[in-house]
Each structure stands twice: as C-alpha cells, then as structure tokens.
Amino acid sequence: MDKNLLGKIQITGIIECLTGLHIGASNENVEIGAIDAPVVRDPITREPYIPGSSLKGKMRSLLEKALAAELGIVGKTNRRNIGTRNNEVWVHVCEKAEDALKCPICRLFGSTGKEGGKNFPARLIVRDAHLTKESVEKLSEIDTGLQYTEWKFENAIDRVTSAANPRQLERVPKGAEFEFELIYNVEETTTLEKDIKNIRLALELIKLDALGGHGSRGYGKVDIKIENIKGIPVEAIKSDANKIKEFKSFEQINELFTVFKS
Ligand SMILES: [Zn+2]
C-alpha cells in the first residue's frame, strides 16, 4: 500500500517505576544457579531496559479493551490467537488492509493480513526505553549482588499439590526512570487527531494498569510523564527547520494538528 508522509510526531518523556518492575528475559541464556526469572538487559551495557515491543504490546492490548465495545470486538470475534493451542492469546487484528485503515487499533499498531492478505504497517513506532543517566548512577550504588537490579522471593503455590515453589524474581527497583520515545507517522489529517488521542489514552491506561510481569502482585506500577511533543512536517525535514513546533503536554495538541493542516 502506497502511503503519503506528511510528517512525524515525536513524543518523548520519562517512565518512572513506582513499584519494582519485572520484564522477563528468555531463560535460555541464563547460567545454571543464576536467578530464576531475570529481567531483560541490553547485551552491551548490561543495563535493564523496557523493550519497545513490551510497551507497544501493552498499549495495544489496553486500547483494544477500552475500544472493544465500540469496535464490536467481542470474545473471539475479530480476534486472532497469537499464542499456542494450550496457551491462547487472542488479539484483535483486521484481516484486510482497507479495514485496518478504518480501525483505530490497527492504524496505530499495524496488522498482518491472513493468507495472502496485505499487511498494514503500523503508524506508531515505539522505541526501546533505556535508563536515564541519573538512574544508572543511582542504581550502580545499591548493593544487592545484582547489577542495577534487586531480587525478591515470590512464593508460587502449586495449585494441584499445594506445594510451595519459591522463585527468585529479579526486578528493577522502585524509583528507576527510563526515557521513552514514540514516533507517529502522519499520513493524512482526517484520523490524525483521533490517533493521537488514542495514544494518549493508551499511556493513561498503562498508569492504571502495569508494565511487565506480575502486575497482580503489585509489580510494574509506573508513572508516565510527557516531556515533549514535537510536530515535524515533511518540509521541516527537507529544508525549513523553523516549521517544527514543540509542545510540553497533550493539553496543547489542538495547535499541534494545525502544523500538518496547512
Ligand atoms: Zn483492526
């Protein structure tokens, strides 16, 4: 599908952990005798980070729940199992690109067409969120035996045998801050306002939900602080940097939309 690009909207800010955060790494690369459930880390710096895919996945699923009634997404209707047969995970995906264009979920997060159908590329890019410099310094000073993180015993009870199964969960401590960046591709102006409002809604919903694993045990409560929203029309990228408009919050977004409507 050919698409026009009118410009970009860049949203940046800080994700602050209000409780310990656990975004799990795959256990495959963990040494024997190490922690049971490690957090995902940058392979070079060894610093824990929030993968863009985790943040994007959470935004998508919370927005899907919030808009489900409006979009007629009920049970398995308009949903696809992206999990396995034993561990089903049903998410909404439009099967046709022309439907995706009209769908607030697929427009932002993309859809993959089924059996020869066309993919609809996401308008939203969610980058990996890395620790701020201050957080790296602060976390370097704490002594837990782990680099930048802490660990906590969680007692999981086997539902069949009632046997306790204590596991060590690694987590990023409360107070840690990550820098996040979202890029929205402005392709047309009729759905622009709605899309940005839904991005804002998804971020608000995360604050009332949790990031990463073990949210029901209190993990992953975060605050999301917007620091800058930048409207970058294509002319600004090509030649005239003066056309870039910057805003400090979503409250000012009405003026943001005019940047692309001239
Ligand atoms: Zn859709």
Side-chain angles (χ1 to χ4, degrees):
M1 186 180 278
D2 285 337
K3 289 190 172 181
N4 293 328
L5 183 68
L6 302 179
K8 305 261 183 183
I9 293 174
Q10 179 197 45
I11 302 165
T12 51
I14 297 288
I15 297 174
E16 181 193 353
C17 299
L18 301 179
T19 60
L21 172 72
H22 175 87
I23 296 180
S26 91
N27 268 321
E28 285 159 32
N29 343 328
V30 177
E31 321 83 270
I32 309 251
I35 208 148
D36 299 324
V39 297
V40 62
R41 287 175 186 272
D42 183 289
I44 310 240
T45 64
R46 304 298 299 149
E47 291 165 17
Y49 71 103
I50 301 172
S53 55
S54 295
L55 186 56
K56 189 177 177 186
K58 196 76 201 188
M59 289 174 77
R60 181 175 192 141
S61 74
L62 291 175
L63 196 62
E64 181 183 324
K65 283 178 197 160
L67 304 181
E70 184 186 320
L71 299 176
I73 305 167
V74 191
K76 293 178 181 177
T77 308
N78 285 327
R79 283 199 171 107
R80 196 188 292 175
N81 182 15
I82 59 159
T84 59
R85 200 146 39 117
N86 293 329
N87 188 12
E88 297 182 352
V89 181
W90 291 86
V91 298
H92 163 73
V93 183
C94 284
E95 305 289 354
K96 294 183 192 144
E98 57 266 37
D99 292 337
L101 186 61
K102 290 179 217 137
C103 169
I105 309 284
C106 296
R107 247 191 346 249
L108 281 178
F109 301 103
S111 75
T112 47
K114 217 181 190 179
E115 284 136 37
K118 283 190 180 132
N119 292 346
F120 186 87
R123 285 184 178 174
L124 185 66
I125 297 165
V126 183
R127 304 229 199 262
D128 293 344
H130 293 280
L131 283 169
T132 62
K133 231 189 204 171
E134 296 76 43
S135 283
V136 171
E137 280 167 20
K138 250 195 247 169
L139 295 176
S140 303
E141 289 162 15
I142 58 165
D143 184 15
T144 60
L146 294 169
Q147 211 179 350
Y148 308 116
T149 57
E150 59 185 8
W151 58 269
K152 192 167 177 283
F153 266 115
E154 291 289 353
N155 229 338
I157 306 292
D158 187 303
R159 268 184 256 178
V160 180
T161 64
S162 298
N165 173 28
R167 320 172 61 204
Q168 282 173 300
L169 278 182
E170 184 181 26
R171 58 185 202 175
V172 178
K174 173 186 166 187
E177 294 187 328
F178 297 85
E179 280 166 323
F180 75 89
E181 181 186 9
L182 311 176
I183 303 283
Y184 172 82
N185 285 321
V186 184
E187 290 165 1
E188 35 101 12
T189 53
T190 51
T191 50
L192 167 62
E193 207 164 329
K194 202 167 183 202
D195 283 353
I196 299 297
K197 282 185 178 158
N198 281 331
I199 292 172
R200 180 189 192 179
L201 173 61
L203 294 175
E204 288 299 320
L205 289 169
I206 290 178
K207 292 199 245 173
L208 299 172
D209 201 89
L211 264 187
H214 308 275
S216 63
R217 292 174 188 256
Y219 285 52
K221 179 176 164 141
V222 293
D223 191 18
I224 301 177
K225 288 170 276 195
I226 304 296
E227 293 195 326
N228 203 42
I229 301 172
K230 209 189 249 188
I232 312 165
V234 158
E235 306 90 79
I237 305 168
K238 284 193 204 149
S239 56
D240 187 359
N242 292 326
K243 298 234 160 102
I244 294 176
K245 289 268 180 341
E246 295 191 60
F247 308 92
K248 289 289 157 223
S249 75
F250 280 111
E251 272 71 47
Q252 302 162 311
I253 48 179
N254 283 333
E255 204 194 325
L256 170 72
F257 301 133
T258 62
V259 175
F260 301 95
K261 285 182 180 165
S262 54

